[in-house]
């Protein structure tokens, strides 16, 4: 992959994390009842959110490196 592709993939992962965070917030306000306990949902959503942000930042960093 080229550096530009790494950078764009990183931006995409950060945007995906933002979408998941926003949609889960909207679902919590207006959605139906959940089958999982609230603590489990909070853990899973925060884990996914943080993992996507970290991987996105790492990929953007790889794309911006000058060799």
């Amino acid at each position: 992959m080229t550096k530009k592709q790494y950078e764009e993939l990183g931006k995409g992962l950060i945007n995906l994390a933002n979408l998941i965070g926003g949609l889960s917030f909207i679902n919590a306000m207006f959605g139906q009842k959940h089958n999982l306990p609230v603590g489990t949902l909070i853990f899973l959503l925060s884990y996914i959110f943080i993992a996507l942000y970290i991987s996105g930042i790492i990929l953007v960093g790889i794309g911006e490196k000058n060799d």
Side-chain angles (χ1 to χ4, degrees), residues 27-38 41:
N27 189 30
M29 288 176 41
F30 304 112
Q32 302 286 332
K33 297 289 183 187
H34 304 289
N35 293 335
L36 292 175
V38 175
L41 284 174

Side-chain angles (χ1 to χ4, degrees), residues 20 36-51:
I20 289 173
L36 292 175
V38 175
T40 306
L41 284 174
I42 291 172
F43 172 75
L44 288 174
L45 288 173
S46 61
Y47 183 78
I48 291 169
F49 188 78
I50 291 169

